[in-house]
Amino acid sequence: MTIRILPAVGDPDAARTVSALLSQLPDAEPAPAVADSTALVDALAAAAQGAGAPSPAGPAAAVEALPEVVLVHERIGPTPALELIREVALRFPAVGVVLITADAGPALFSAAMDAGARGIVGLPLGYDELAARVQAAAQWSAGVRVHLGGNPDAAPGPIGTLVTVTGAKGGVGTTVTAVHLALAARAAGRSVALVDLDLQSGDVASYLDVQFRRSVVDLAGISDISVRVLQDAVHDHHTGLGLLLAPEEGERGEEVDDRAARQIIGALRSRYEVVLVDCGSQMQSANAAAVELADVALLVTTPDVVAVRAAKRQVRLWDRLQIRKAEETTTVVNRLTRNTEIQPPLVAKATGTQVARTHVPAAFKELQPCVDAGRMQDLDGRSTVKQALWALAGELGLVDAPAARQGRGSHRARPSLTGRRRKAIAAGAAPGSGTGPGPAPGAVPGSAAGSGSRFGARRGSAAAAGGPGPFDPAGPYEEG
């Protein structure tokens, strides 16, 4: 049996040593070493998806495309080695993981086994010990693949999409955005979990009128989150969302660290197709870990100087802490108006991020009744805010394109007419203004006198024949 091995070693010297020893193993096909935890997870995901998508064998083919053994060096980063082992074991259960460490004591051995490792190799590396651990992990992997391959419905690992929503500062609409993205994905028929990781001042429960005694803190001290434990902590909302709420006592948020956040998010991704995380606007270890793991990281800002500066600081903070690069972040511009001086291209230039094509208009009067009642799910489908947020969900791939349109269509699909223009259409303007039904000064009688307006002539040739002009209130009009 050929053993495919993928080493994850950040140190170049250690990587050369590991590659040299692996090349001596019989029937081994070692891949080039990956330098960090993100590259390892991406490589495994690419292998599974690349084989599983076009193959008629489906999940069985995806399992077979994965390497049998993954070697994880203790100094891999940015994710700690044990947390990385836990994530790989959870997402790709058919892969045997072996930890390379200088501390082969019983405490670390027990912790590694709890995380999902299949063995430990001590440093300095020896050929015999490495060969024995790799062979044992490969045999275990082969046994697991027999069972997974025999079940056509078995998947190689959880495929839940993780989307984080972070505010540039407080009050920019982070929670409203997260709630409606979750509702849009649920309306599209996907299983959705909405997590409130704004641990000190989370408002998801208030926006959805929920009173639930369990919170994310109840999962923080559990080392192995089973399906039953997850069900007890997640509130099943009547909209179909699974809600994991922030604690009532804000000081308890300190109990949720990055390790707990990674474990909780991993458990949710194994059960739900979409996981939406409201990260608030204050960075802590828990929501920083969520942003690092996210498939899509959204940064919500309003088009004003203070908020855009705050967004720029947030992006720079993520970059300094190696949480996320600016070009991997998508900025959502909320409360945008036509007359706003700061437009999305300027936001993109200032922050260095991508800006979502869908912008959310400023229409708080539409939101206020639902906000005051705590029933954001009851927002009218004709609301321009809801249409924009559901269109944003379609842009992010959380829903199909047709499902993103509610009511009469997207707010961007319909031109906006001011009250003055509506009155001009209905009653006509003063003679000589250049916008009324009569000819403008100096215009040739019988010609389209309103050609200087943004509205075109009526259908047919009535205006050209000296009949009613383009703003005839008795007939329809066309917009240019």
Side-chain angles (χ1 to χ4, degrees), residues 45 70 100 116 149 173 220 241 269 291-292 298 301 309 320 329 382 398 410 436:
V70 167
I100 302 175
L241 299 178
R269 294 181 74 178
V291 172
E292 180 186 343
L298 299 180
T301 185
R309 285 179 177 173
R320 288 196 305 271
T329 303
R382 293 172 295 180
L398 301 181
S410 171

mmCIF file with all atom_site columns, all heavy atoms in Angstrom, residues 45 70 100 116 149 173 220 241 269 291-292 298 301 309 320 329 382 398 410 436:
data_model
loop_
_atom_site.group_PDB
_atom_site.id
_atom_site.type_symbol
_atom_site.label_atom_id
_atom_site.label_alt_id
_atom_site.label_comp_id
_atom_site.label_asym_id
_atom_site.label_entity_id
_atom_site.label_seq_id
_atom_site.pdbx_PDB_ins_code
_atom_site.Cartn_x
_atom_site.Cartn_y
_atom_site.Cartn_z
_atom_site.occupancy
_atom_site.B_iso_or_equiv
_atom_site.pdbx_formal_charge
_atom_site.auth_seq_id
_atom_site.auth_comp_id
_atom_site.auth_asym_id
_atom_site.auth_atom_id
_atom_site.pdbx_PDB_model_num
ATOM 1   N N   . ALA A 1 45  ? -8.451  20.633 2.100   1.00 0.00 ? 45  ALA A N   1
ATOM 2   C CA  . ALA A 1 45  ? -9.763  20.975 1.554   1.00 0.00 ? 45  ALA A CA  1
ATOM 3   C C   . ALA A 1 45  ? -9.752  20.948 0.030   1.00 0.00 ? 45  ALA A C   1
ATOM 4   O O   . ALA A 1 45  ? -10.707 20.485 -0.602  1.00 0.00 ? 45  ALA A O   1
ATOM 5   C CB  . ALA A 1 45  ? -10.191 22.351 2.056   1.00 0.00 ? 45  ALA A CB  1
ATOM 6   N N   . VAL A 1 70  ? -0.799  12.844 8.007   1.00 0.00 ? 70  VAL A N   1
ATOM 7   C CA  . VAL A 1 70  ? -0.352  14.229 8.111   1.00 0.00 ? 70  VAL A CA  1
ATOM 8   C C   . VAL A 1 70  ? 0.562   14.337 9.322   1.00 0.00 ? 70  VAL A C   1
ATOM 9   O O   . VAL A 1 70  ? 0.197   13.904 10.418  1.00 0.00 ? 70  VAL A O   1
ATOM 10  C CB  . VAL A 1 70  ? -1.546  15.197 8.250   1.00 0.00 ? 70  VAL A CB  1
ATOM 11  C CG1 . VAL A 1 70  ? -1.071  16.584 8.669   1.00 0.00 ? 70  VAL A CG1 1
ATOM 12  C CG2 . VAL A 1 70  ? -2.320  15.286 6.952   1.00 0.00 ? 70  VAL A CG2 1
ATOM 13  N N   . ILE A 1 100 ? 4.796   15.775 15.892  1.00 0.00 ? 100 ILE A N   1
ATOM 14  C CA  . ILE A 1 100 ? 6.252   15.763 16.083  1.00 0.00 ? 100 ILE A CA  1
ATOM 15  C C   . ILE A 1 100 ? 6.570   16.776 17.169  1.00 0.00 ? 100 ILE A C   1
ATOM 16  O O   . ILE A 1 100 ? 6.316   17.972 17.017  1.00 0.00 ? 100 ILE A O   1
ATOM 17  C CB  . ILE A 1 100 ? 6.993   16.128 14.779  1.00 0.00 ? 100 ILE A CB  1
ATOM 18  C CG1 . ILE A 1 100 ? 6.619   15.145 13.665  1.00 0.00 ? 100 ILE A CG1 1
ATOM 19  C CG2 . ILE A 1 100 ? 8.493   16.136 14.998  1.00 0.00 ? 100 ILE A CG2 1
ATOM 20  C CD1 . ILE A 1 100 ? 7.214   15.515 12.319  1.00 0.00 ? 100 ILE A CD1 1
ATOM 21  N N   . GLY A 1 116 ? -7.132  14.173 18.860  1.00 0.00 ? 116 GLY A N   1
ATOM 22  C CA  . GLY A 1 116 ? -7.386  13.355 17.679  1.00 0.00 ? 116 GLY A CA  1
ATOM 23  C C   . GLY A 1 116 ? -6.152  12.829 16.985  1.00 0.00 ? 116 GLY A C   1
ATOM 24  O O   . GLY A 1 116 ? -6.253  12.261 15.895  1.00 0.00 ? 116 GLY A O   1
ATOM 25  N N   . GLY A 1 149 ? -15.955 4.651  2.659   1.00 0.00 ? 149 GLY A N   1
ATOM 26  C CA  . GLY A 1 149 ? -16.189 4.354  1.247   1.00 0.00 ? 149 GLY A CA  1
ATOM 27  C C   . GLY A 1 149 ? -17.380 3.453  1.035   1.00 0.00 ? 149 GLY A C   1
ATOM 28  O O   . GLY A 1 149 ? -18.020 3.499  -0.020  1.00 0.00 ? 149 GLY A O   1
ATOM 29  N N   . GLY A 1 173 ? -24.239 48.894 12.320  1.00 0.00 ? 173 GLY A N   1
ATOM 30  C CA  . GLY A 1 173 ? -25.192 47.940 11.749  1.00 0.00 ? 173 GLY A CA  1
ATOM 31  C C   . GLY A 1 173 ? -24.673 46.529 11.639  1.00 0.00 ? 173 GLY A C   1
ATOM 32  O O   . GLY A 1 173 ? -25.154 45.766 10.797  1.00 0.00 ? 173 GLY A O   1
ATOM 33  N N   . ALA A 1 220 ? -17.649 26.629 26.677  1.00 0.00 ? 220 ALA A N   1
ATOM 34  C CA  . ALA A 1 220 ? -16.235 26.992 26.742  1.00 0.00 ? 220 ALA A CA  1
ATOM 35  C C   . ALA A 1 220 ? -15.405 25.976 27.510  1.00 0.00 ? 220 ALA A C   1
ATOM 36  O O   . ALA A 1 220 ? -14.256 25.720 27.157  1.00 0.00 ? 220 ALA A O   1
ATOM 37  C CB  . ALA A 1 220 ? -16.082 28.380 27.368  1.00 0.00 ? 220 ALA A CB  1
ATOM 38  N N   . LEU A 1 241 ? -33.458 29.264 12.465  1.00 0.00 ? 241 LEU A N   1
ATOM 39  C CA  . LEU A 1 241 ? -32.062 29.516 12.800  1.00 0.00 ? 241 LEU A CA  1
ATOM 40  C C   . LEU A 1 241 ? -31.687 28.800 14.094  1.00 0.00 ? 241 LEU A C   1
ATOM 41  O O   . LEU A 1 241 ? -32.504 28.699 15.018  1.00 0.00 ? 241 LEU A O   1
ATOM 42  C CB  . LEU A 1 241 ? -31.798 31.014 12.964  1.00 0.00 ? 241 LEU A CB  1
ATOM 43  C CG  . LEU A 1 241 ? -32.052 31.923 11.759  1.00 0.00 ? 241 LEU A CG  1
ATOM 44  C CD1 . LEU A 1 241 ? -31.771 33.369 12.142  1.00 0.00 ? 241 LEU A CD1 1
ATOM 45  C CD2 . LEU A 1 241 ? -31.175 31.517 10.589  1.00 0.00 ? 241 LEU A CD2 1
ATOM 46  N N   . ARG A 1 269 ? -19.670 23.908 12.472  1.00 0.00 ? 269 ARG A N   1
ATOM 47  C CA  . ARG A 1 269 ? -19.475 23.684 11.029  1.00 0.00 ? 269 ARG A CA  1
ATOM 48  C C   . ARG A 1 269 ? -19.705 22.231 10.648  1.00 0.00 ? 269 ARG A C   1
ATOM 49  O O   . ARG A 1 269 ? -20.001 21.923 9.489   1.00 0.00 ? 269 ARG A O   1
ATOM 50  C CB  . ARG A 1 269 ? -18.064 24.105 10.610  1.00 0.00 ? 269 ARG A CB  1
ATOM 51  C CG  . ARG A 1 269 ? -17.819 25.590 10.742  1.00 0.00 ? 269 ARG A CG  1
ATOM 52  C CD  . ARG A 1 269 ? -16.427 25.970 10.295  1.00 0.00 ? 269 ARG A CD  1
ATOM 53  N NE  . ARG A 1 269 ? -16.287 25.921 8.849   1.00 0.00 ? 269 ARG A NE  1
ATOM 54  C CZ  . ARG A 1 269 ? -15.176 26.249 8.193   1.00 0.00 ? 269 ARG A CZ  1
ATOM 55  N NH1 . ARG A 1 269 ? -14.112 26.656 8.885   1.00 0.00 ? 269 ARG A NH1 1
ATOM 56  N NH2 . ARG A 1 269 ? -15.126 26.189 6.896   1.00 0.00 ? 269 ARG A NH2 1
ATOM 57  N N   . VAL A 1 291 ? -12.430 35.206 12.995  1.00 0.00 ? 291 VAL A N   1
ATOM 58  C CA  . VAL A 1 291 ? -12.070 35.928 11.775  1.00 0.00 ? 291 VAL A CA  1
ATOM 59  C C   . VAL A 1 291 ? -10.955 35.195 11.033  1.00 0.00 ? 291 VAL A C   1
ATOM 60  O O   . VAL A 1 291 ? -10.953 35.110 9.799   1.00 0.00 ? 291 VAL A O   1
ATOM 61  C CB  . VAL A 1 291 ? -11.656 37.374 12.113  1.00 0.00 ? 291 VAL A CB  1
ATOM 62  C CG1 . VAL A 1 291 ? -11.101 38.082 10.877  1.00 0.00 ? 291 VAL A CG1 1
ATOM 63  C CG2 . VAL A 1 291 ? -12.839 38.149 12.667  1.00 0.00 ? 291 VAL A CG2 1
ATOM 64  N N   . GLU A 1 292 ? -10.018 34.646 11.776  1.00 0.00 ? 292 GLU A N   1
ATOM 65  C CA  . GLU A 1 292 ? -8.920  33.918 11.139  1.00 0.00 ? 292 GLU A CA  1
ATOM 66  C C   . GLU A 1 292 ? -9.415  32.674 10.418  1.00 0.00 ? 292 GLU A C   1
ATOM 67  O O   . GLU A 1 292 ? -8.934  32.332 9.333   1.00 0.00 ? 292 GLU A O   1
ATOM 68  C CB  . GLU A 1 292 ? -7.896  33.517 12.205  1.00 0.00 ? 292 GLU A CB  1
ATOM 69  C CG  . GLU A 1 292 ? -6.694  32.759 11.663  1.00 0.00 ? 292 GLU A CG  1
ATOM 70  C CD  . GLU A 1 292 ? -5.772  32.264 12.764  1.00 0.00 ? 292 GLU A CD  1
ATOM 71  O OE1 . GLU A 1 292 ? -5.885  32.763 13.895  1.00 0.00 ? 292 GLU A OE1 1
ATOM 72  O OE2 . GLU A 1 292 ? -4.949  31.379 12.484  1.00 0.00 ? 292 GLU A OE2 1
ATOM 73  N N   . LEU A 1 298 ? -16.467 39.731 6.748   1.00 0.00 ? 298 LEU A N   1
ATOM 74  C CA  . LEU A 1 298 ? -17.082 41.008 6.388   1.00 0.00 ? 298 LEU A CA  1
ATOM 75  C C   . LEU A 1 298 ? -16.733 42.062 7.437   1.00 0.00 ? 298 LEU A C   1
ATOM 76  O O   . LEU A 1 298 ? -16.720 41.779 8.636   1.00 0.00 ? 298 LEU A O   1
ATOM 77  C CB  . LEU A 1 298 ? -18.609 40.871 6.308   1.00 0.00 ? 298 LEU A CB  1
ATOM 78  C CG  . LEU A 1 298 ? -19.172 39.885 5.276   1.00 0.00 ? 298 LEU A CG  1
ATOM 79  C CD1 . LEU A 1 298 ? -20.689 39.888 5.329   1.00 0.00 ? 298 LEU A CD1 1
ATOM 80  C CD2 . LEU A 1 298 ? -18.681 40.203 3.881   1.00 0.00 ? 298 LEU A CD2 1
ATOM 81  N N   . THR A 1 301 ? -19.035 49.105 7.697   1.00 0.00 ? 301 THR A N   1
ATOM 82  C CA  . THR A 1 301 ? -18.723 50.491 8.007   1.00 0.00 ? 301 THR A CA  1
ATOM 83  C C   . THR A 1 301 ? -19.799 51.383 7.424   1.00 0.00 ? 301 THR A C   1
ATOM 84  O O   . THR A 1 301 ? -20.558 50.979 6.534   1.00 0.00 ? 301 THR A O   1
ATOM 85  C CB  . THR A 1 301 ? -17.350 50.896 7.464   1.00 0.00 ? 301 THR A CB  1
ATOM 86  O OG1 . THR A 1 301 ? -17.037 52.219 7.888   1.00 0.00 ? 301 THR A OG1 1
ATOM 87  C CG2 . THR A 1 301 ? -17.328 50.857 5.948   1.00 0.00 ? 301 THR A CG2 1
ATOM 88  N N   . ARG A 1 309 ? -12.118 55.565 9.158   1.00 0.00 ? 309 ARG A N   1
ATOM 89  C CA  . ARG A 1 309 ? -10.847 55.502 9.882   1.00 0.00 ? 309 ARG A CA  1
ATOM 90  C C   . ARG A 1 309 ? -10.816 54.313 10.829  1.00 0.00 ? 309 ARG A C   1
ATOM 91  O O   . ARG A 1 309 ? -9.788  53.634 10.964  1.00 0.00 ? 309 ARG A O   1
ATOM 92  C CB  . ARG A 1 309 ? -10.634 56.794 10.654  1.00 0.00 ? 309 ARG A CB  1
ATOM 93  C CG  . ARG A 1 309 ? -10.216 57.984 9.784   1.00 0.00 ? 309 ARG A CG  1
ATOM 94  C CD  . ARG A 1 309 ? -10.055 59.241 10.617  1.00 0.00 ? 309 ARG A CD  1
ATOM 95  N NE  . ARG A 1 309 ? -9.583  60.366 9.809   1.00 0.00 ? 309 ARG A NE  1
ATOM 96  C CZ  . ARG A 1 309 ? -9.481  61.605 10.257  1.00 0.00 ? 309 ARG A CZ  1
ATOM 97  N NH1 . ARG A 1 309 ? -9.825  61.887 11.521  1.00 0.00 ? 309 ARG A NH1 1
ATOM 98  N NH2 . ARG A 1 309 ? -9.036  62.566 9.468   1.00 0.00 ? 309 ARG A NH2 1
ATOM 99  N N   . ARG A 1 320 ? -1.375  43.193 11.520  1.00 0.00 ? 320 ARG A N   1
ATOM 100 C CA  . ARG A 1 320 ? -0.253  43.121 12.472  1.00 0.00 ? 320 ARG A CA  1
ATOM 101 C C   . ARG A 1 320 ? -0.280  41.827 13.275  1.00 0.00 ? 320 ARG A C   1
ATOM 102 O O   . ARG A 1 320 ? 0.768   41.242 13.547  1.00 0.00 ? 320 ARG A O   1
ATOM 103 C CB  . ARG A 1 320 ? -0.298  44.315 13.424  1.00 0.00 ? 320 ARG A CB  1
ATOM 104 C CG  . ARG A 1 320 ? 0.077   45.642 12.799  1.00 0.00 ? 320 ARG A CG  1
ATOM 105 C CD  . ARG A 1 320 ? 0.383   46.678 13.871  1.00 0.00 ? 320 ARG A CD  1
ATOM 106 N NE  . ARG A 1 320 ? -0.706  46.832 14.825  1.00 0.00 ? 320 ARG A NE  1
ATOM 107 C CZ  . ARG A 1 320 ? -1.717  47.682 14.677  1.00 0.00 ? 320 ARG A CZ  1
ATOM 108 N NH1 . ARG A 1 320 ? -1.766  48.459 13.598  1.00 0.00 ? 320 ARG A NH1 1
ATOM 109 N NH2 . ARG A 1 320 ? -2.666  47.781 15.585  1.00 0.00 ? 320 ARG A NH2 1
ATOM 110 N N   . THR A 1 329 ? -10.367 40.559 3.024   1.00 0.00 ? 329 THR A N   1
ATOM 111 C CA  . THR A 1 329 ? -11.499 41.092 3.781   1.00 0.00 ? 329 THR A CA  1
ATOM 112 C C   . THR A 1 329 ? -12.458 41.811 2.826   1.00 0.00 ? 329 THR A C   1
ATOM 113 O O   . THR A 1 329 ? -12.023 42.493 1.909   1.00 0.00 ? 329 THR A O   1
ATOM 114 C CB  . THR A 1 329 ? -11.011 42.072 4.860   1.00 0.00 ? 329 THR A CB  1
ATOM 115 O OG1 . THR A 1 329 ? -10.065 41.391 5.706   1.00 0.00 ? 329 THR A OG1 1
ATOM 116 C CG2 . THR A 1 329 ? -12.166 42.587 5.704   1.00 0.00 ? 329 THR A CG2 1
ATOM 117 N N   . ARG A 1 382 ? -40.599 44.507 1.212   1.00 0.00 ? 382 ARG A N   1
ATOM 118 C CA  . ARG A 1 382 ? -40.426 45.650 0.322   1.00 0.00 ? 382 ARG A CA  1
ATOM 119 C C   . ARG A 1 382 ? -39.399 46.644 0.852   1.00 0.00 ? 382 ARG A C   1
ATOM 120 O O   . ARG A 1 382 ? -39.093 47.631 0.184   1.00 0.00 ? 382 ARG A O   1
ATOM 121 C CB  . ARG A 1 382 ? -41.770 46.354 0.124   1.00 0.00 ? 382 ARG A CB  1
ATOM 122 C CG  . ARG A 1 382 ? -42.791 45.522 -0.635  1.00 0.00 ? 382 ARG A CG  1
ATOM 123 C CD  . ARG A 1 382 ? -44.140 46.186 -0.638  1.00 0.00 ? 382 ARG A CD  1
ATOM 124 N NE  . ARG A 1 382 ? -44.697 46.262 0.719   1.00 0.00 ? 382 ARG A NE  1
ATOM 125 C CZ  . ARG A 1 382 ? -45.872 46.808 1.009   1.00 0.00 ? 382 ARG A CZ  1
ATOM 126 N NH1 . ARG A 1 382 ? -46.613 47.321 0.048   1.00 0.00 ? 382 ARG A NH1 1
ATOM 127 N NH2 . ARG A 1 382 ? -46.299 46.844 2.259   1.00 0.00 ? 382 ARG A NH2 1
ATOM 128 N N   . LEU A 1 398 ? -24.366 32.805 -0.305  1.00 0.00 ? 398 LEU A N   1
ATOM 129 C CA  . LEU A 1 398 ? -25.135 32.153 0.753   1.00 0.00 ? 398 LEU A CA  1
ATOM 130 C C   . LEU A 1 398 ? -26.498 31.718 0.269   1.00 0.00 ? 398 LEU A C   1
ATOM 131 O O   . LEU A 1 398 ? -27.120 30.841 0.862   1.00 0.00 ? 398 LEU A O   1
ATOM 132 C CB  . LEU A 1 398 ? -25.291 33.098 1.951   1.00 0.00 ? 398 LEU A CB  1
ATOM 133 C CG  . LEU A 1 398 ? -23.998 33.593 2.597   1.00 0.00 ? 398 LEU A CG  1
ATOM 134 C CD1 . LEU A 1 398 ? -24.307 34.502 3.777   1.00 0.00 ? 398 LEU A CD1 1
ATOM 135 C CD2 . LEU A 1 398 ? -23.129 32.428 3.042   1.00 0.00 ? 398 LEU A CD2 1
ATOM 136 N N   . SER A 1 410 ? -34.580 44.001 -6.271  1.00 0.00 ? 410 SER A N   1
ATOM 137 C CA  . SER A 1 410 ? -33.515 44.662 -5.537  1.00 0.00 ? 410 SER A CA  1
ATOM 138 C C   . SER A 1 410 ? -33.659 46.164 -5.595  1.00 0.00 ? 410 SER A C   1
ATOM 139 O O   . SER A 1 410 ? -34.148 46.724 -6.571  1.00 0.00 ? 410 SER A O   1
ATOM 140 C CB  . SER A 1 410 ? -32.154 44.262 -6.128  1.00 0.00 ? 410 SER A CB  1
ATOM 141 O OG  . SER A 1 410 ? -31.126 45.034 -5.577  1.00 0.00 ? 410 SER A OG  1
ATOM 142 N N   . GLY A 1 436 ? -40.944 70.903 -18.527 1.00 0.00 ? 436 GLY A N   1
ATOM 143 C CA  . GLY A 1 436 ? -42.392 70.738 -18.601 1.00 0.00 ? 436 GLY A CA  1
ATOM 144 C C   . GLY A 1 436 ? -42.820 70.233 -19.947 1.00 0.00 ? 436 GLY A C   1
ATOM 145 O O   . GLY A 1 436 ? -42.023 69.992 -20.852 1.00 0.00 ? 436 GLY A O   1
#
